[in-house]
């Protein structure tokens, strides 16, 4: 809509019902999402459409995972919960957190063989993660640098404007780099009791997701 188009026809063309997007808890197949991104990029002529989508998201766009992050004791604990539970809501994007030479690296990888719109999906993932970290650490938080696995765009300014940090393109991974000391920051307003309830619920959902995944594998083997 910002770019002057009605999203509903594009959503239908991607094989989805526009009403799906009225509830943030709904999920869609990765192939349909990738197709929708391709249509949006083509019709808006905006090569960084995924970045714009991620820029508008908040920590609560991640539903239960985002709420768990909000009620974690520290930023590090919030990111560990994010990494451990992202698969409950997203089977295609895998996050990892590591520390090296005093720097923390939050990295995203896409596990999907078709690879359509991977650049859009990784752009969105990085943008959402920055928003989540600003929610936890304060609006002035910024990464030390951002690594982006796409060719340098003709106009890199939208990336610099959102991340407020140096952006390096043509990288092997999609990674936010920031001081490891930031992981020790306390999360304001975290409720330990609510965190425990959310952890229990996500543990159950992980178990259910594992059962569903095993069923999918058995069906594939039978065919």
């Amino acid at each position: 809509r910002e770019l002057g188009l009605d999203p509903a026809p594009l959503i239908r063309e991607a094989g989805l019902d526009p009403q799906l997007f009225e509830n943030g808890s709904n999920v869609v197949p990765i192939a349909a999402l990738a197709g929708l991104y391709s249509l949006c990029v083509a019709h808006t002529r905006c090569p960084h459409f995924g970045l714009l989508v991620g820029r508008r998201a908040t920590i609560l766009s991640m539903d239960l995972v985002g709420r768990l992050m909000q009620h974690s004791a520290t930023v590090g604990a919030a990111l560990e919960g994010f990494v451990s539970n992202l698969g409950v809501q997203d089977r295609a994007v895998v996050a990892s957190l590591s520390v090296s030479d005093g720097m923390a690296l939050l990295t995203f990888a896409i596990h999907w063989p078709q690879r359509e719109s991977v650049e859009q999906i990784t752009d969105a993932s990085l943008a959402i993660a920055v928003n989540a970290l600003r929610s936890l650490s304060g609006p002035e938080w910024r990464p030390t640098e951002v690594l982006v696995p796409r060719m340098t765009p003709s106009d890199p300014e939208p990336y610099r404007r959102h991340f407020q940090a140096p952006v390096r393109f043509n990288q092997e991974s999609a990674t936010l780099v920031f001081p490891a000391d930031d992981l020790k920051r306390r999360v304001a307003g975290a409720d330990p009791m609510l965190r425990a309830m959310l952890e229990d619920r996500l543990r159950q959902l992980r178990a259910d997701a594992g059962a569903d995944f095993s069923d999918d594998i058995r069906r594939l083997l039978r065919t």
Side-chain angles (χ1 to χ4, degrees):
R1 289 192 181 99
E2 275 186 5
L3 297 172
L5 293 179
D6 179 2
L10 299 184
I11 293 171
R12 292 192 186 94
E13 189 174 344
L16 297 169
D17 184 342
Q19 291 185 346
L20 281 171
F21 294 88
E22 296 177 4
N23 184 340
S25 298
N26 288 333
V27 295
V28 298
I30 181 63
L33 176 64
L36 178 57
Y37 268 130
S38 293
L39 289 167
C40 290
V41 170
H43 284 265
T44 63
R45 299 183 181 179
C46 177
H48 57 276
F49 193 90
L51 178 75
L52 300 183
V53 171
R55 189 181 71 184
R56 296 185 67 92
T58 71
I59 194 169
L60 291 181
S61 299
M62 294 184 283
D63 200 34
L64 291 177
V65 175
R67 294 182 186 279
L68 175 65
M69 295 174 75
Q70 282 186 317
H71 293 287
S72 298
T74 65
V75 170
L79 289 178
E80 289 171 1
F82 169 72
V83 167
S84 299
N85 293 287
L86 182 60
V88 169
Q89 296 169 202
D90 195 327
R91 298 282 184 92
V93 180
V94 176
S96 61
L97 179 67
S98 60
V99 175
S100 177
D101 297 327
M103 304 301 291
L105 293 84
L106 180 62
T107 298
F108 296 92
I110 310 298
H111 290 274
W112 184 54
Q114 279 76 12
R115 309 299 291 173
E116 181 185 5
S117 296
V118 165
E119 292 179 345
Q120 306 301 324
I121 296 168
T122 52
D123 281 359
S125 298
L126 289 168
I128 295 169
V130 164
N131 286 349
L133 282 162
R134 286 177 180 151
S135 176
L136 299 171
S137 305
E140 301 305 315
W141 183 88
R142 62 188 62 187
T144 303
E145 64 177 353
V146 181
L147 311 183
V148 183
R150 64 147 65 217
M151 293 179 61
T152 304
S154 57
D155 181 14
E157 186 56 30
Y159 293 84
R160 298 190 186 114
R161 188 163 55 245
H162 178 68
F163 295 123
Q164 299 176 31
V167 181
R168 293 168 54 193
F169 296 95
N170 298 301
Q171 301 300 302
E172 293 184 359
S173 67
T175 302
L176 298 179
V177 183
F178 55 94
D181 284 345
D182 288 358
L183 299 174
K184 302 174 185 176
R185 292 189 181 192
R186 306 293 296 182
V187 177
D191 184 332
M193 185 175 296
L194 185 52
R195 180 180 69 246
M197 293 172 61
L198 288 163
E199 287 173 340
D200 285 344
R201 177 59 178 150
L202 284 163
R203 192 177 300 115
Q204 178 184 350
L205 289 172
R206 284 202 309 273
D208 292 344
D212 290 344
F213 182 74
S214 296
D215 290 343
D216 290 343
I217 293 296
R218 282 193 289 270
R219 280 195 292 270
L220 286 171
L221 289 173
R222 284 198 297 270
T223 58

